[in-house]
DNA sequence: TCCCTATAGGTAGGGTCCCTACGTATTGGA
DNA sequence: TCCAATACGTAGGGACCCTACCTATAGGGA
């Protein structure tokens, strides 16, 4: 996974991870790693600032708690975040179609 | 097309455009616009610096000419550029699969 | 007991890269 | 005569992800 390739696509991934229920930041990072078979193992210096950004934007809402002696900040999608996620999925579909068309080198979707 | 979404994917698109034969910069920009149905209409401030970057990296080779009173810089893929294009296509396939898996919200590839 | 790992959060600074805004020049049509 | 299209270019900025580092607790192994 090239580093800069992710730019502009991270927010949607984080929102999608929170779609099925609230999670704390570290769990979001692990969930992304798991759902991608370990291919998207983001550093914490990427995940936490991104979550802060989403919260400032009103797409997620965070709240502190303490579990097992460790403090956690649990995030959940706001209504606005849910709409943004839907938009991110649409944009991704279009983006992927455009890039695949321009990149060529075989039909898209890949026939595998 | 969100602006920052393209980051890290542009080089492959430019290389792909040059795959079927040499072209000058302005023609590359137009070809990209045409093959994507106008959805990827890059500003010249994006295309020219990117071509310069690719040439510095040895992936394309440019040469000046004059056609119809206008000077042109025509680019062609180098062997290294051809290999890089193949790599870019592989990376894109993996990247798209990873993002699609993490973004969810329906099967991938899109059923259209 | 000590240390290391996993868990859980955080920030500062940097680098990449695409875009905006501008500039130069020629050709050709309105 | 003027404007659009063609054709090239650069400077500066902003967005954003990563590297590197920091704090803290729980728990297992030596």
């Amino acid at each position: 996974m090239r580093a800069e390739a992710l730019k502009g696509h991270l927010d949607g991934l984080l929102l999608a991870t929170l779609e099925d229920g609230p999670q704390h930041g570290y769990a979001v990072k692990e969930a992304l790693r798991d759902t991608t078979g370990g291919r998207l193992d983001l550093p914490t210096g990427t995940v936490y600032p991104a979550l802060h950004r989403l919260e400032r934007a009103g797409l997620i809402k965070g709240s502190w708690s303490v579990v097992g002696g460790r403090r956690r900040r649990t995030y959940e999608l706001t209504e606005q975040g849910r709409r943004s996620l839907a938009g991110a999925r649409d944009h991704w579909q279009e983006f992927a179609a455009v890039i695949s068309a321009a990149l060529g080198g075989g039909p898209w979707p890949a026939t595998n």
Side-chain angles (χ1 to χ4, degrees), chain A:
Chain A
M1 290 291 303
R2 303 270 310 292
E4 65 275 20
L6 194 58
K7 292 203 185 217
H9 302 290
L10 178 59
D11 291 7
L13 303 186
L14 296 174
L15 294 176
T17 305
L18 291 172
E19 192 181 25
D20 294 331
Q23 292 206 20
H24 62 283
Y26 196 85
V28 168
K29 169 181 146 62
E30 301 231 289
L32 274 178
R33 193 191 56 198
D34 293 346
T35 58
T36 59
R39 288 174 295 179
L40 191 64
D41 195 1
L42 299 173
T44 63
T46 293
V47 175
Y48 291 127
L51 289 171
H52 299 165
R53 178 157 39 85
L54 291 176
E55 188 171 21
R56 277 199 308 274
L59 305 183
I60 60 178
K61 196 171 75 68
S63 60
W64 286 106
S65 61
V66 176
V67 176
R70 291 187 184 91
R71 65 186 189 132
R72 285 179 175 172
R73 187 152 184 87
T74 300
Y75 295 100
E76 60 179 321
L77 283 186
T78 64
E79 262 317 301
Q80 196 186 340
R82 227 167 267 281
R83 285 192 298 271
S84 182
L85 173 56
R89 284 182 171 134
D90 288 347
H91 284 131
W92 167 250
Q93 289 297 332
E94 190 191 353
F95 175 78
V98 165
I99 300 300
S100 295
L103 198 53
W108 186 82
T111 47
N112 290 328

